[in-house]
Amino acid sequence: MTASPDEAADRPARVRVTAGTAHPGAPTRGIALPGAPVDDVDAVYARGLQRSQLRLALGILLGFLTVMLAMVSLITLVPELDDIAILGVPVSWLLHAFGLYPVIVGFALLYLHGASRNERRYRALREQE
């Protein structure tokens, strides 16, 4: 349905409304758009955060693998654990079934705490600018 030329002349002209910033040309925080200028300080902080998170992840992984290898080696190399039974179940089976999960949860919480600490430090550095 198109309007006749007389009806189109009676309507007000279209106005484009955009959200402006308080200071034109002020840098914005958030998503970097293609072609937008990159703040070198932000890039350095972001790379530092990525490196610290990677270092934390590798450290946690290495510690986790070491503890798991030690537990599995203990279960394998100490056959006397099969002779000890709790409620008719050998201790080696109980360690396999229930002893490894607290280790997993412990390392997950350790990583979560470290990652949160890294994020807090990153935000504190950015806010100091």
Side-chain angles (χ1 to χ4, degrees):
M1 187 183 225
T2 58
S4 67
D6 294 332
E7 291 175 359
D10 293 338
R11 288 190 211 151
R14 293 182 122 190
V15 177
R16 183 178 202 169
V17 178
T18 59
T21 60
H23 306 286
T28 59
R29 299 284 184 203
I31 299 171
L33 299 174
V38 176
D39 188 7
D40 289 337
V41 175
D42 286 343
V44 169
Y45 287 154
R47 279 194 306 271
L49 176 63
Q50 287 175 343
R51 281 194 307 269
S52 65
Q53 296 290 52
L54 179 61
R55 211 172 22 250
L56 174 67
L58 292 176
I60 293 291
L61 178 66
L62 184 64
F64 175 74
L65 291 176
T66 303
V67 170
M68 294 300 284
L69 182 64
M71 284 188 71
V72 170
S73 298
L74 173 76
I75 293 169
T76 304
L77 297 175
V78 181
E80 292 82 22
L81 292 175
D82 290 334
D83 299 335
I84 305 168
I86 299 175
L87 298 173
V89 180
V91 171
S92 62
W93 288 18
L94 292 173
L95 283 175
H96 269 287
F98 302 110
L100 301 178
Y101 292 109
V103 172
I104 294 169
V105 170
F107 275 98
L109 291 174
L110 190 63
Y111 178 77
L112 180 65
H113 175 70
S116 297
R117 184 184 63 232
N118 287 344
E119 292 281 338
R120 279 193 308 273
R121 287 179 181 169
Y122 172 73
R123 279 194 301 272
L125 286 173
R126 292 235 2 218
E127 289 172 359
Q128 285 179 0
E129 288 182 13

